Amino acid sequence: MVRLPGLGLLVRSRTGHGAARGTAGLEPAMFVHGLGGSSQNWSALMASLDDTVEGRALDLPGFGHSPPPDNGDYSIAAHARAVIRLLEAEGRGPVHLFGNSLGGAVTVKVAAARPDLVRTLTLISPALPELPPQTSALPTALASVPGMAALYVRVTRDWPPERRTEALLSLCYGDPSVVGGPERAAAATEYQRRIDLPYFWDVMIRSTRGIVNAYTLSGQHSLWRQAERVLAPTLLVYGVRDRLVSVRMARRASRAFRDSRLLTIPGGGHVAMMEHPYLVERAFRDLRDEISARARGGAAGSTVTATADMSTAASGS
Protein backbone atom coordinates (compact mmCIF):
# COMPACT_ATOMS: atom_id res chain seq x y z
CA MET A 1 0.00 0.00 0.00
CA VAL A 2 1.51 3.29 -1.12
CA ARG A 3 0.42 6.21 1.05
CA LEU A 4 0.22 9.64 -0.53
CA PRO A 5 -1.43 12.78 0.89
CA GLY A 6 -5.19 12.18 0.69
CA LEU A 7 -4.68 8.92 -1.19
CA GLY A 8 -3.84 5.27 -0.62
CA LEU A 9 -3.01 2.99 -3.55
CA LEU A 10 -2.58 -0.77 -3.54
CA VAL A 11 0.24 -1.65 -5.94
CA ARG A 12 0.99 -5.20 -7.04
CA SER A 13 4.27 -6.46 -8.45
CA ARG A 14 5.37 -9.78 -9.90
CA THR A 15 7.36 -12.27 -7.85
CA GLY A 16 8.07 -14.69 -10.72
CA HIS A 17 11.10 -15.28 -12.90
CA GLY A 18 11.98 -11.62 -13.30
CA ALA A 19 11.87 -10.96 -9.57
CA ALA A 20 13.74 -14.17 -8.78
CA ARG A 21 16.78 -13.10 -10.77
CA GLY A 22 16.42 -9.41 -9.91
CA THR A 23 15.04 -6.54 -11.93
CA ALA A 24 18.35 -4.96 -12.92
CA GLY A 25 18.23 -4.04 -16.57
CA LEU A 26 14.48 -4.43 -16.90
CA GLU A 27 12.51 -1.41 -18.04
CA PRO A 28 9.69 -0.35 -15.68
CA ALA A 29 6.02 -0.77 -16.58
CA MET A 30 2.75 0.34 -14.98
CA PHE A 31 -0.65 -1.25 -15.61
CA VAL A 32 -3.98 0.59 -15.10
CA HIS A 33 -7.27 -1.34 -15.01
CA GLY A 34 -10.76 -0.44 -16.20
CA LEU A 35 -14.11 0.37 -14.61
CA GLY A 36 -14.99 -2.17 -11.93
CA GLY A 37 -11.64 -3.90 -12.38
CA SER A 38 -8.49 -4.11 -10.32
CA SER A 39 -4.76 -4.73 -10.56
CA GLN A 40 -5.52 -8.46 -10.76
CA ASN A 41 -6.85 -7.97 -14.30
CA TRP A 42 -3.23 -7.75 -15.45
CA SER A 43 -1.88 -10.89 -13.77
CA ALA A 44 -1.64 -13.04 -16.92
CA LEU A 45 0.02 -10.35 -19.04
CA MET A 46 2.41 -9.34 -16.26
CA ALA A 47 3.45 -12.98 -15.85
CA SER A 48 4.22 -13.34 -19.55
CA LEU A 49 6.28 -10.14 -19.58
CA ASP A 50 8.24 -10.54 -16.36
CA ASP A 51 11.40 -11.34 -18.31
CA THR A 52 11.08 -8.04 -20.17
CA VAL A 53 9.69 -5.38 -17.84
CA GLU A 54 9.56 -4.72 -14.13
CA GLY A 55 5.79 -4.58 -13.98
CA ARG A 56 3.57 -3.06 -11.33
CA ALA A 57 -0.20 -2.67 -11.39
CA LEU A 58 -2.24 -0.39 -9.18
CA ASP A 59 -5.79 -0.42 -7.88
CA LEU A 60 -7.24 2.98 -8.77
CA PRO A 61 -8.73 4.93 -5.83
CA GLY A 62 -11.82 3.10 -4.54
CA PHE A 63 -11.21 -0.01 -6.65
CA GLY A 64 -9.74 -3.37 -5.69
CA HIS A 65 -8.07 -2.91 -2.31
CA SER A 66 -7.42 0.83 -2.60
CA PRO A 67 -9.58 2.95 -0.29
CA PRO A 68 -11.62 5.88 -1.64
CA PRO A 69 -9.70 9.14 -2.03
CA ASP A 70 -10.24 11.75 0.66
CA ASN A 71 -11.70 14.24 -1.83
CA GLY A 72 -14.19 11.80 -3.39
CA ASP A 73 -13.09 12.78 -6.92
CA TYR A 74 -13.43 9.92 -9.44
CA SER A 75 -13.10 11.92 -12.64
CA ILE A 76 -10.76 10.79 -15.41
CA ALA A 77 -8.51 13.73 -14.54
CA ALA A 78 -8.40 12.72 -10.86
CA HIS A 79 -7.49 9.13 -11.70
CA ALA A 80 -4.77 10.44 -14.04
CA ARG A 81 -3.39 12.63 -11.25
CA ALA A 82 -3.28 9.58 -8.96
CA VAL A 83 -1.22 7.64 -11.52
CA ILE A 84 1.13 10.60 -12.04
CA ARG A 85 1.61 11.04 -8.30
CA LEU A 86 2.39 7.34 -7.93
CA LEU A 87 4.95 7.40 -10.74
CA GLU A 88 6.56 10.50 -9.27
CA ALA A 89 6.64 9.00 -5.77
CA GLU A 90 8.23 5.77 -6.99
CA GLY A 91 10.66 7.51 -9.33
CA ARG A 92 10.32 4.74 -11.92
CA GLY A 93 9.60 6.81 -15.02
CA PRO A 94 9.62 6.74 -17.91
CA VAL A 95 7.51 3.58 -17.88
CA HIS A 96 5.80 1.37 -20.41
CA LEU A 97 2.25 2.43 -19.56
CA PHE A 98 -0.69 0.06 -20.11
CA GLY A 99 -4.38 0.96 -19.80
CA ASN A 100 -7.67 -0.88 -20.35
CA SER A 101 -11.08 0.77 -20.82
CA LEU A 102 -11.36 3.48 -18.13
CA GLY A 103 -7.66 2.93 -17.52
CA GLY A 104 -7.09 3.60 -21.22
CA ALA A 105 -8.66 7.05 -20.96
CA VAL A 106 -6.68 7.70 -17.77
CA THR A 107 -3.35 6.73 -19.32
CA VAL A 108 -4.02 8.86 -22.42
CA LYS A 109 -4.30 11.89 -20.12
CA VAL A 110 -1.14 10.85 -18.29
CA ALA A 111 0.83 10.44 -21.52
CA ALA A 112 -0.45 13.74 -22.92
CA ALA A 113 0.28 15.73 -19.76
CA ARG A 114 3.57 14.08 -18.73
CA PRO A 115 5.46 12.70 -21.73
CA ASP A 116 8.55 12.50 -19.52
CA LEU A 117 6.91 9.71 -17.52
CA VAL A 118 5.86 7.50 -20.46
CA ARG A 119 8.17 5.35 -22.58
CA THR A 120 5.44 3.60 -24.60
CA LEU A 121 1.64 3.50 -24.32
CA THR A 122 -0.44 0.33 -24.78
CA LEU A 123 -4.21 0.87 -24.88
CA ILE A 124 -6.61 -2.07 -24.73
CA SER A 125 -10.17 -1.07 -25.65
CA PRO A 126 -9.61 2.48 -24.37
CA ALA A 127 -12.71 4.42 -23.27
CA LEU A 128 -12.34 7.22 -25.79
CA PRO A 129 -15.48 9.18 -26.76
CA GLU A 130 -17.82 7.18 -28.97
CA LEU A 131 -21.02 9.06 -29.74
CA PRO A 132 -23.47 7.53 -29.94
CA PRO A 133 -22.14 4.52 -28.01
CA GLN A 134 -23.06 1.05 -29.21
CA THR A 135 -26.32 -0.16 -27.69
CA SER A 136 -24.67 -2.97 -25.69
CA ALA A 137 -22.73 -0.32 -23.74
CA LEU A 138 -25.79 1.75 -22.77
CA PRO A 139 -26.66 -0.22 -19.59
CA THR A 140 -23.19 0.55 -18.22
CA ALA A 141 -23.56 4.24 -19.04
CA LEU A 142 -26.98 4.30 -17.34
CA ALA A 143 -25.24 3.54 -14.03
CA SER A 144 -24.41 7.24 -13.93
CA VAL A 145 -28.10 8.21 -13.94
CA PRO A 146 -29.43 9.00 -10.44
CA GLY A 147 -31.47 6.12 -9.04
CA MET A 148 -30.43 3.53 -11.64
CA ALA A 149 -27.85 1.85 -9.40
CA ALA A 150 -30.39 1.53 -6.59
CA LEU A 151 -32.87 0.02 -9.06
CA TYR A 152 -30.25 -2.49 -10.23
CA VAL A 153 -29.49 -3.46 -6.65
CA ARG A 154 -33.18 -4.11 -5.95
CA VAL A 155 -33.65 -6.14 -9.13
CA THR A 156 -30.56 -8.29 -8.55
CA ARG A 157 -30.59 -8.55 -4.75
CA ASP A 158 -31.41 -12.28 -4.89
CA TRP A 159 -28.77 -13.10 -7.48
CA PRO A 160 -26.00 -15.38 -6.18
CA PRO A 161 -22.41 -14.25 -6.79
CA GLU A 162 -22.05 -16.84 -9.56
CA ARG A 163 -24.88 -15.29 -11.58
CA ARG A 164 -23.46 -11.80 -11.17
CA THR A 165 -20.05 -13.05 -12.29
CA GLU A 166 -21.53 -14.81 -15.32
CA ALA A 167 -23.23 -11.59 -16.41
CA LEU A 168 -19.97 -9.69 -16.04
CA LEU A 169 -17.97 -12.26 -17.99
CA SER A 170 -20.55 -12.25 -20.79
CA LEU A 171 -20.21 -8.48 -21.01
CA CYS A 172 -16.42 -8.34 -20.97
CA TYR A 173 -15.28 -11.46 -22.84
CA GLY A 174 -15.75 -12.29 -26.50
CA ASP A 175 -15.90 -15.94 -25.45
CA PRO A 176 -16.65 -16.35 -21.72
CA SER A 177 -16.04 -20.10 -21.95
CA VAL A 178 -12.27 -19.48 -21.87
CA VAL A 179 -12.61 -18.73 -18.14
CA GLY A 180 -12.31 -22.04 -16.31
CA GLY A 181 -14.17 -23.24 -13.22
CA PRO A 182 -11.55 -22.29 -10.59
CA GLU A 183 -11.11 -18.85 -12.14
CA ARG A 184 -14.88 -18.30 -12.15
CA ALA A 185 -15.14 -19.30 -8.51
CA ALA A 186 -12.32 -16.94 -7.55
CA ALA A 187 -13.92 -14.14 -9.58
CA ALA A 188 -17.28 -14.71 -7.87
CA THR A 189 -15.67 -14.54 -4.43
CA GLU A 190 -13.84 -11.33 -5.30
CA TYR A 191 -16.96 -9.79 -6.87
CA GLN A 192 -18.95 -10.48 -3.71
CA ARG A 193 -16.20 -8.98 -1.55
CA ARG A 194 -16.32 -5.75 -3.54
CA ILE A 195 -20.11 -5.49 -3.57
CA ASP A 196 -20.10 -5.83 0.21
CA LEU A 197 -17.85 -2.76 0.55
CA PRO A 198 -19.89 0.21 1.81
CA TYR A 199 -18.49 2.50 -0.88
CA PHE A 200 -18.71 0.09 -3.86
CA TRP A 201 -21.71 1.62 -5.63
CA ASP A 202 -20.63 5.18 -4.94
CA VAL A 203 -17.27 4.51 -6.59
CA MET A 204 -18.89 2.80 -9.59
CA ILE A 205 -21.48 5.54 -10.09
CA ARG A 206 -19.03 8.43 -9.74
CA SER A 207 -16.42 6.78 -11.97
CA THR A 208 -19.05 6.05 -14.63
CA ARG A 209 -20.11 9.69 -14.46
CA GLY A 210 -16.47 10.60 -14.88
CA ILE A 211 -16.36 8.68 -18.16
CA VAL A 212 -19.66 10.18 -19.38
CA ASN A 213 -18.48 13.68 -18.46
CA ALA A 214 -15.17 13.14 -20.27
CA TYR A 215 -17.11 12.19 -23.41
CA THR A 216 -18.74 15.64 -23.42
CA LEU A 217 -15.57 17.72 -23.07
CA SER A 218 -14.48 19.74 -26.09
CA GLY A 219 -11.46 21.77 -27.12
CA GLN A 220 -8.09 21.00 -25.59
CA HIS A 221 -9.71 18.95 -22.80
CA SER A 222 -11.31 16.49 -25.25
CA LEU A 223 -9.84 13.00 -24.92
CA TRP A 224 -9.39 12.86 -28.70
CA ARG A 225 -7.43 16.13 -28.57
CA GLN A 226 -5.39 14.66 -25.71
CA ALA A 227 -4.68 11.61 -27.88
CA GLU A 228 -3.25 13.85 -30.58
CA ARG A 229 -0.79 15.28 -28.03
CA VAL A 230 0.65 11.88 -27.03
CA LEU A 231 4.28 11.59 -28.11
CA ALA A 232 4.94 8.03 -26.92
CA PRO A 233 4.85 5.17 -29.42
CA THR A 234 1.36 3.71 -28.98
CA LEU A 235 -0.05 0.20 -29.38
CA LEU A 236 -3.83 0.01 -29.81
CA VAL A 237 -5.64 -3.26 -29.15
CA TYR A 238 -9.33 -3.77 -30.01
CA GLY A 239 -11.60 -6.81 -29.89
CA VAL A 240 -14.06 -7.28 -32.72
CA ARG A 241 -16.60 -8.76 -30.28
CA ASP A 242 -16.17 -5.99 -27.68
CA ARG A 243 -19.60 -5.03 -26.32
CA LEU A 244 -18.41 -1.92 -24.48
CA VAL A 245 -15.96 -0.22 -26.85
CA SER A 246 -16.77 -0.68 -30.51
CA VAL A 247 -14.03 -1.86 -32.84
CA ARG A 248 -15.24 0.80 -35.27
CA MET A 249 -13.31 3.31 -33.11
CA ALA A 250 -10.02 1.54 -33.88
CA ARG A 251 -9.40 3.36 -37.14
CA ARG A 252 -10.13 6.74 -35.61
CA ALA A 253 -7.77 5.99 -32.74
CA SER A 254 -4.99 4.87 -35.08
CA ARG A 255 -5.29 8.21 -36.90
CA ALA A 256 -5.43 10.27 -33.69
CA PHE A 257 -2.22 8.96 -32.12
CA ARG A 258 0.77 10.27 -34.04
CA ASP A 259 2.93 7.15 -33.67
CA SER A 260 0.53 4.21 -33.55
CA ARG A 261 0.16 0.60 -34.49
CA LEU A 262 -3.12 -1.33 -34.33
CA LEU A 263 -3.97 -4.89 -33.37
CA THR A 264 -7.52 -6.15 -33.84
CA ILE A 265 -8.52 -9.55 -32.45
CA PRO A 266 -11.49 -11.08 -34.32
CA GLY A 267 -12.80 -13.16 -31.41
CA GLY A 268 -11.73 -10.77 -28.68
CA GLY A 269 -13.88 -8.87 -26.23
CA HIS A 270 -13.21 -5.95 -23.90
CA VAL A 271 -10.34 -7.39 -21.84
CA ALA A 272 -7.86 -8.76 -24.37
CA MET A 273 -5.07 -8.86 -21.76
CA MET A 274 -7.14 -11.45 -19.88
CA GLU A 275 -8.76 -13.26 -22.81
CA HIS A 276 -5.80 -13.26 -25.22
CA PRO A 277 -2.72 -12.34 -23.16
CA TYR A 278 -0.40 -14.11 -25.61
CA LEU A 279 -1.48 -11.86 -28.49
CA VAL A 280 -1.09 -8.67 -26.43
CA GLU A 281 2.30 -9.86 -25.19
CA ARG A 282 3.51 -10.57 -28.70
CA ALA A 283 2.30 -7.20 -29.99
CA PHE A 284 4.02 -5.39 -27.12
CA ARG A 285 7.28 -7.25 -27.72
CA ASP A 286 7.07 -6.26 -31.38
CA LEU A 287 6.58 -2.64 -30.28
CA ARG A 288 9.65 -2.78 -28.04
CA ASP A 289 11.73 -4.37 -30.80
CA GLU A 290 10.60 -1.68 -33.22
CA ILE A 291 11.46 1.13 -30.82
CA SER A 292 14.87 -0.42 -30.07
CA ALA A 293 15.63 -0.76 -33.77
CA ARG A 294 14.55 2.83 -34.35
CA ALA A 295 16.83 4.04 -31.56
CA ARG A 296 19.79 2.09 -32.94
CA GLY A 297 19.17 3.46 -36.40
CA GLY A 298 18.60 6.99 -35.17
CA ALA A 299 15.45 7.21 -37.28
CA ALA A 300 12.88 9.89 -36.55
CA GLY A 301 9.49 8.82 -35.28
CA SER A 302 6.76 8.21 -37.80
CA THR A 303 3.17 7.11 -37.78
CA VAL A 304 2.86 3.37 -38.25
CA THR A 305 -0.60 1.86 -38.43
CA ALA A 306 -0.87 -1.88 -38.84
CA THR A 307 -4.10 -3.83 -38.62
CA ALA A 308 -3.37 -7.42 -37.77
CA ASP A 309 -5.83 -10.22 -38.45
CA MET A 310 -4.85 -12.54 -35.64
CA SER A 311 -7.62 -15.11 -36.08
CA THR A 312 -5.19 -17.99 -36.65
CA ALA A 313 -2.98 -16.99 -33.76
CA ALA A 314 -5.98 -16.38 -31.53
CA SER A 315 -7.30 -19.87 -32.07
CA GLY A 316 -3.95 -21.26 -31.07
CA SER A 317 -3.50 -19.15 -27.97
Side-chain angles (χ1 to χ4, degrees):
M1 184 67 72
V2 178
R3 301 289 182 182
L4 302 169
L7 198 65
L9 298 172
L10 189 285
V11 181
R12 295 180 185 274
S13 59
R14 279 283 299 165
T15 56
H17 299 301
R21 65 164 184 278
T23 57
L26 296 183
E27 296 170 345
M30 181 63 73
F31 300 80
V32 186
H33 63 81
L35 182 68
S38 76
S39 55
Q40 296 184 53
N41 294 162
W42 298 100
S43 296
L45 184 61
M46 289 175 68
S48 65
L49 290 174
D50 72 354
D51 66 330
T52 304
V53 299
E54 183 208 350
R56 298 186 189 179
L58 81 156
D59 289 343
L60 288 170
F63 291 94
H65 289 273
S66 290
D70 288 355
N71 62 7
D73 189 349
Y74 297 99
S75 64
I76 299 292
H79 286 314
R81 286 193 295 271
V83 174
I84 289 172
R85 291 176 62 192
L86 176 62
L87 292 175
E88 289 179 333
E90 294 190 331
R92 299 174 67 240
V95 300
H96 294 288
L97 191 58
F98 293 73
N100 169 235
S101 192
L102 164 67
V106 169
T107 53
V108 166
K109 289 191 73 69
V110 172
R114 294 293 304 273
D116 58 306
L117 293 177
V118 182
R119 190 182 303 260
T120 66
L121 181 62
T122 297
L123 302 174
I124 301 172
S125 297
L128 297 173
E130 178 185 348
L131 299 172
Q134 58 181 334
T135 55
S136 55
L138 289 175
T140 301
L142 286 174
S144 64
V145 176
M148 290 303 296
L151 176 61
Y152 177 81
V153 171
R154 288 199 301 271
V155 171
T156 64
R157 62 176 174 238
D158 295 327
W159 286 16
E162 293 76 16
R163 183 176 177 183
R164 296 179 188 274
T165 302
E166 185 62 37
L168 183 62
L169 294 178
S170 297
L171 181 65
C172 293
Y173 281 72
D175 178 12
S177 68
V178 302
V179 184
E183 291 81 6
R184 285 172 182 261
T189 300
E190 175 61 12
Y191 195 0
Q192 188 62 50
R193 182 194 70 81
R194 295 189 203 176
I195 287 181
D196 289 341
L197 294 172
Y199 52 81
F200 173 82
W201 286 111
D202 183 59
V203 173
M204 287 292 292
I205 293 168
R206 291 175 181 266
S207 292
T208 304
R209 287 177 184 165
I211 296 175
V212 173
N213 290 340
Y215 275 31
T216 66
L217 295 177
S218 59
Q220 64 177 345
H221 299 293
S222 162
L223 282 172
W224 285 115
R225 185 68 63 84
Q226 298 281 303
E228 294 171 355
R229 293 173 53 193
V230 172
L231 301 178
T234 302
L235 170 63
L236 300 162
V237 182
Y238 284 82
V240 174
R241 299 180 65 181
D242 193 332
R243 300 180 62 193
L244 293 170
V245 172
S246 175
V247 70
R248 72 177 185 229
M249 304 307 296
R251 286 296 183 183
R252 179 175 181 181
S254 66
R255 292 192 300 267
F257 292 91
R258 65 181 67 193
D259 185 7
S260 69
R261 58 281 301 143
L262 170 64
L263 168 66
T264 58
I265 303 177
H270 191 61
V271 287
M273 71 287 190
M274 301 172 72
E275 191 173 10
H276 299 289
Y278 166 71
L279 298 182
V280 180
E281 173 206 350
R282 191 170 75 181
F284 173 73
R285 289 182 185 275
D286 288 346
L287 170 62
R288 279 193 73 251
D289 291 345
E290 176 193 334
I291 301 309
S292 297
R294 181 189 298 178
R296 289 194 300 271
S302 61
T303 299
V304 180
T305 303
T307 304
D309 182 349
M310 304 298 292
S311 53
T312 302
S315 64
S317 66

